[in-house]
Amino acid sequence: MNITVFDDLDTLYKKAADTFVNLSKQSIQKHNRFAVALSGGSSPKAIFKLLATEEYAKQIEWNKVYFFWVDERWVPLHDDKSNFRMTDEALLKHVPADKDHIFPMYQDGILPEDYAKVYEKQIRKVLGEEGIFDFILLGMGDDGHTASLFPGEEVLQEKEKWVAAYYLKPQEMFRITLTAPLINKAENILAVAFGESKKHALNEILNGEYNPAVYPMQLIEKKDTFQFFTDEKARGESK
C-alpha cells in the first residue's frame, strides 16, 4: 500500500483526478478499455466534478470507459441517496460517456439479492471470468467500513460471490456491494479518507491487529497498486 498525506483537499482531489486520467490512458492502451468501479460520498463527488471540467475531460476517451459502482443503497436511481444519481449529476451528464457502458447498481422490479446475481453477470460480460477491474475508487467510513462492507456483517465472510446484497439493520435498508474477493482482484485501487473523524479507524487499519470484522477496510489487500490518499488530521497516530 502506498500512502500519500496531503496538506489540503484541493491538492488531494487533483491528484486523484490525475490518477484517474493516467490509469485510463494506460488501460486503454493495454486493452482498449477502462473498466472502473466508483464509490459515493463527498470525496468522490469532488473528484468527479474535477473530471468533468474541460481540463480533465478532454484527456479521457470516455467512449472506452465502462462504469460500475462499488456499492449502492437499494433506492431508485433518482433518489437523493443514490450513488448513481450523484455520479450522474457530477460527471456522467457532462461527458460523452457511452450509455451502454454505464451499469447502475439498481433496477426496478427485482429483489436486491436477485439483482446482485444480474450485476455479477454484467461484470463478467465486460471483464471476463477473471473479473479484474482496471480501477476501483473506495472511501472509508469513520467505523472503518468500505463499500457496503460494514463491521459485523455476514458479507465480510464472503469468499465466492463477486456481488452481494443484504439488509443492513442499523440503516433499515438493503445495500448491494462488490465483495472483498472481487475488489482485491483490481489492477489499481485508490482509497480516499481524511479528517479527524477517520483517525482512529485509519490507525487501526494501518497499525492495529488484523480484525476485519471490526475494521472491514483491512480486507483490502495492501498491495503496491493500492494507493491511499489522506491528510494530516486522519493520518496522525491515535492516542
Side-chain angles (χ1 to χ4, degrees), residues 99-110:
K99 292 182 179 180
D100 291 335
H101 294 176
I102 300 173
F103 300 90
M105 219 175 202
Y106 175 84
Q107 181 176 307
D108 287 326
I110 185 172

Side-chain angles (χ1 to χ4, degrees), residues 26-73:
Q26 292 174 23
S27 297
I28 290 170
Q29 184 176 23
K30 182 179 177 181
H31 45 221
N32 204 37
R33 61 114 165 108
F34 185 47
V36 304
L38 304 177
S39 293
S42 57
S43 301
K45 184 177 182 179
I47 297 166
F48 300 158
K49 284 187 171 182
L50 262 182
L51 291 171
T53 63
E54 183 180 1
E55 177 186 356
Y56 284 96
K58 67 184 180 182
Q59 301 183 62
I60 298 170
E61 293 183 73
W62 293 103
N63 64 321
K64 295 181 180 179
V65 183
Y66 289 78
F67 294 92
F68 292 86
W69 275 259
V70 168
D71 73 319
E72 186 63 273
R73 302 170 184 86

Side-chain angles (χ1 to χ4, degrees), residues 134-168:
D134 299 306
F135 175 69
I136 292 181
L137 176 63
L138 296 175
M140 186 191 79
D142 297 350
D143 59 359
H145 86 267
T146 192
S148 283
L149 307 176
F150 286 88
E153 296 296 332
E154 188 175 344
V155 69
L156 302 179
Q157 322 269 328
E158 184 58 56
K159 304 296 184 187
E160 303 296 331
K161 294 177 182 176
W162 287 3
V163 186
Y166 69 100
Y167 189 75
L168 186 60

